[in-house]
Amino acid sequence: MLLITRELPQAVAMRAHAEHEVRALMLTGPFEPDHLLAHLENVDAILCTPSDKFDATLIMKLPQAIKVIATFSVGLEHIDLDAAAARGITVCNTPDVLSTATAEMALTLMLMAARRAGEGERLVRAGRWTGLSPNFHLGTGIAGKTLGIFGMGRIGRELAGMARGLGMVIHYRNRNRLSPDLEAGAIYHADDDQFLQSIDVLSINTPGGDATNGWLNAARLAVMRPGAIVVNTGRGSTVDDDALIAALRRSHIRAAGLDVFNNEPHLHPGYLDLENIVLLPHIGSATLETRNAMGFLALDGIARVLNATGSPQHISRRDVP
Ligand code: DGY
């Protein structure tokens, strides 16, 4: 039996029901481990989301019958992979199919931040627009500017292609330098400070996890160019919220666009009264086409494990760029 934690897109739900006996929890709020544990009788597979935290304590309590946890995400930060491996549970995620949608969201945030679009929209809705004048609501353009991509994986490379089309120059910081065909002219930095000093816009495209926890801290923000822009569609854990809020308050960072946060959906309240920030509710992959593709990929992973035809593709794969 397949346990599904949250409501799925219709086409994915139909396929899930065609392939499995399904128990659907239909959670809408916080994930309660005890609630999950109470519904696992006869379950051998779980389809979860990044809102459902499978830490070591929960994984150790899962019944022996559970063979696979598939997550409706490329990110795996919410699942303790070592604990799952220790229990012999395979973890599947949904890479590749969301790269374009997430890169589009990074681009959206970048343009919105640069052109103060969120602030402008709030102004119009509040009836505070008094008309056009030469100095009214000036932002900055992105053509000719340097985009720094932190995490040049599939999403980062997709974003690089889009930004090149808008006339941006691409720099990147990555664990390893890419091959020339993947780099496509982007300039690699092996050093954080040199990278951050070279760019006008920082896009965070890493999947989170211990290696990048709190990476964008006060010291790194301080070396960024005055007036730089920060965009994050990766994971909130990569950013030190207090440090970013302080940098936005004194306009050292001109503007930011965030789709992901620490402690979602309870983001740091310091963001809420800042005008120079665009805040979105983790919708990077939220197109129907993409969500269908993610759901189908998750079901493919579950089928491979349950039918024991497991190709290693998409299975227990940490999407570290
Ligand atoms: C992912 O897939 O990890 C996204 O952040 C959620 O859609």
Side-chain angles (χ1 to χ4, degrees), residues 50 72-76 94 98 233-235 260 282 284-285 291 294:
F72 211 103
S73 63
V74 63
L76 292 163
T94 61
L98 47 56
T233 53
R235 279 293 181 270
V260 288
H282 203 148
S285 66
R291 289 284 162 88
M294 290 168 75

Side-chain angles (χ1 to χ4, degrees), residues 36-48:
L36 175 96
L37 289 167
H39 289 86
L40 290 179
E41 201 184 345
N42 297 326
V43 168
D44 54 5
I46 296 175
L47 178 50
C48 70

Side-chain angles (χ1 to χ4, degrees), residues 57-112:
T57 310
L58 172 58
I59 288 174
M60 289 308 163
K61 289 182 185 166
L62 293 177
Q64 288 297 333
I66 307 282
K67 295 187 182 62
V68 52
I69 301 172
T71 175
F72 211 103
S73 63
V74 63
L76 292 163
E77 203 181 34
H78 54 297
I79 302 176
D80 188 319
L81 297 180
D82 294 331
R87 282 293 314 276
I89 297 172
T90 301
V91 178
C92 310
N93 65 343
T94 61
D96 297 321
V97 293
L98 47 56
S99 302
T100 302
T102 308
E104 283 175 354
M105 186 52 67
L107 198 60
T108 302
L109 287 171
M110 197 190 310
L111 285 163
M112 287 184 77

Side-chain angles (χ1 to χ4, degrees), residues 7 30 36 44 71 102 119 155 168 184 237 242 250 285-286 290 295 307 313 319:
E7 187 176 8
L36 175 96
D44 54 5
T71 175
T102 308
E119 194 183 338
I155 297 169
M168 298 189 86
S237 60
D242 287 319
R250 58 175 195 278
S285 66
T290 303
N307 302 331
Q313 208 192 0
D319 188 51

Side-chain angles (χ1 to χ4, degrees), residues 44-254:
D44 54 5
I46 296 175
L47 178 50
C48 70
T49 76
S51 300
D52 314 322
K53 193 169 168 57
F54 283 75
D55 59 15
T57 310
L58 172 58
I59 288 174
M60 289 308 163
K61 289 182 185 166
L62 293 177
Q64 288 297 333
I66 307 282
K67 295 187 182 62
V68 52
I69 301 172
T71 175
F72 211 103
S73 63
V74 63
L76 292 163
E77 203 181 34
H78 54 297
I79 302 176
D80 188 319
L81 297 180
D82 294 331
R87 282 293 314 276
I89 297 172
T90 301
V91 178
C92 310
N93 65 343
T94 61
D96 297 321
V97 293
L98 47 56
S99 302
T100 302
T102 308
E104 283 175 354
M105 186 52 67
L107 198 60
T108 302
L109 287 171
M110 197 190 310
L111 285 163
M112 287 184 77
R115 301 300 298 273
R116 302 172 57 192
E119 194 183 338
E121 221 243 356
R122 287 191 292 277
L123 184 122
V124 173
R125 284 184 186 274
R128 288 189 285 112
W129 183 31
T130 52
L132 193 145
S133 70
N135 282 333
F136 173 66
H137 208 79
L138 300 182
T140 187
I142 61 165
K145 300 280 169 62
T146 303
L147 169 62
I149 298 179
F150 180 63
M152 195 67 150
R154 287 157 287 201
I155 297 169
R157 296 198 298 275
E158 193 77 36
L159 174 63
M162 294 176 185
R164 257 184 226 109
L166 295 173
M168 298 189 86
V169 178
I170 314 298
H171 289 226
Y172 74 100
R173 175 88 179 92
N174 206 43
R175 218 168 27 159
N176 301 307
R177 184 168 183 172
L178 301 180
S179 58
D181 58 320
L182 293 181
E183 213 170 51
I187 297 160
Y188 173 68
H189 293 267
D191 172 77
D192 283 339
D193 284 3
Q194 187 205 43
F195 168 65
L196 291 169
Q197 284 158 5
S198 308
I199 61 176
D200 301 304
V201 180
L202 169 67
S203 175
I204 297 173
N205 294 102
T206 46
D210 291 345
T212 55
N213 208 0
W215 176 81
L216 190 63
N217 57 18
R220 291 197 174 90
L221 283 159
V223 301
M224 290 184 73
R225 293 178 175 172
I229 289 171
V230 171
V231 164
N232 188 6
T233 53
R235 279 293 181 270
S237 60
T238 311
V239 173
D240 175 335
D241 292 324
D242 287 319
L244 179 57
I245 289 164
L248 285 162
R249 278 199 204 290
R250 58 175 195 278
S251 298
H252 174 64
I253 296 301
R254 170 195 300 270

